[in-house]
Amino acid sequence: MKTTQLSSSILNYNLSQDKVLDKIKAWIDSNSMFQDHRFIWRIGVTNAESIFAVEGQLRADYQCKHFKYWRTDSFNESVKTISKLTKYHFVFKSPLHNYIGKGQYIFVYKMPTPYKHHFYHAQHY
């Protein structure tokens, strides 16, 4: 009985989720400077109709240093990936997210730490 449950959980395991997660982590690591902690990463989920609006808004902002997005297979995969990424250093949820639309796109961007954010005071005092 236990081997049947084990084999069924192995068959239901989705490798694409870890591939997207690994790609995002590698991209964040390659664009991070650990000597300069004035910037934080923001992540969010959105749908296909809104991804270009989010990209346009962020690329128009001169403070945005990096922006990239990835497509996942499902909304559940996107949420699971984001929940794993928020445990990563200096990664926070974006205020531009669209969880209501149940999108399949994960976007990541790098912005300066807001002045009123609690990490700003911890870093500068």
Side-chain angles (χ1 to χ4, degrees):
M1 182 108 155
K2 290 183 180 180
T3 57
T4 307
Q5 291 174 347
L6 179 64
S7 65
S8 68
S9 65
I10 290 172
L11 292 175
N12 292 333
Y13 185 72
N14 188 0
L15 290 176
S16 65
Q17 179 181 351
D18 288 338
K19 290 179 184 178
V20 171
L21 181 66
D22 291 339
K23 287 179 184 178
I24 295 172
K25 280 185 176 182
W27 186 75
I28 287 174
D29 287 340
S30 68
N31 291 309
S32 293
M33 292 181 56
F34 290 107
Q35 294 84 8
D36 187 12
H37 295 292
R38 292 178 294 148
F39 295 94
I40 58 172
W41 291 97
R42 297 280 187 158
I43 59 172
V45 175
T46 190
N47 52 16
E49 295 83 25
S50 301
I51 189 67
F52 295 117
V54 170
E55 181 179 13
Q57 182 179 357
L58 289 171
R59 292 204 187 267
D61 187 0
Y62 70 92
Q63 293 182 343
C64 181
K65 299 297 179 191
H66 302 285
F67 176 84
K68 193 168 183 178
Y69 64 89
W70 291 265
R71 186 179 188 281
T72 59
D73 292 333
S74 67
F75 175 70
N76 289 337
E77 181 181 343
S78 298
V79 171
K80 287 178 185 176
T81 303
I82 283 186
S83 67
K84 289 180 182 178
L85 283 170
T86 54
K87 295 175 186 168
Y88 210 55
H89 299 290
F90 295 103
V91 177
F92 301 96
K93 290 183 182 176
S94 172
L96 302 174
H97 63 79
N98 184 9
Y99 294 112
I100 297 171
K102 294 193 177 188
Q104 297 177 337
Y105 289 87
I106 298 175
F107 60 90
V108 181
Y109 60 96
K110 187 176 185 179
M111 295 287 281
T113 307
Y115 177 73
K116 293 185 179 181
H117 198 271
H118 60 278
F119 278 118
Y120 179 87
H121 299 292
Q123 293 168 356
H124 294 93
Y125 295 104

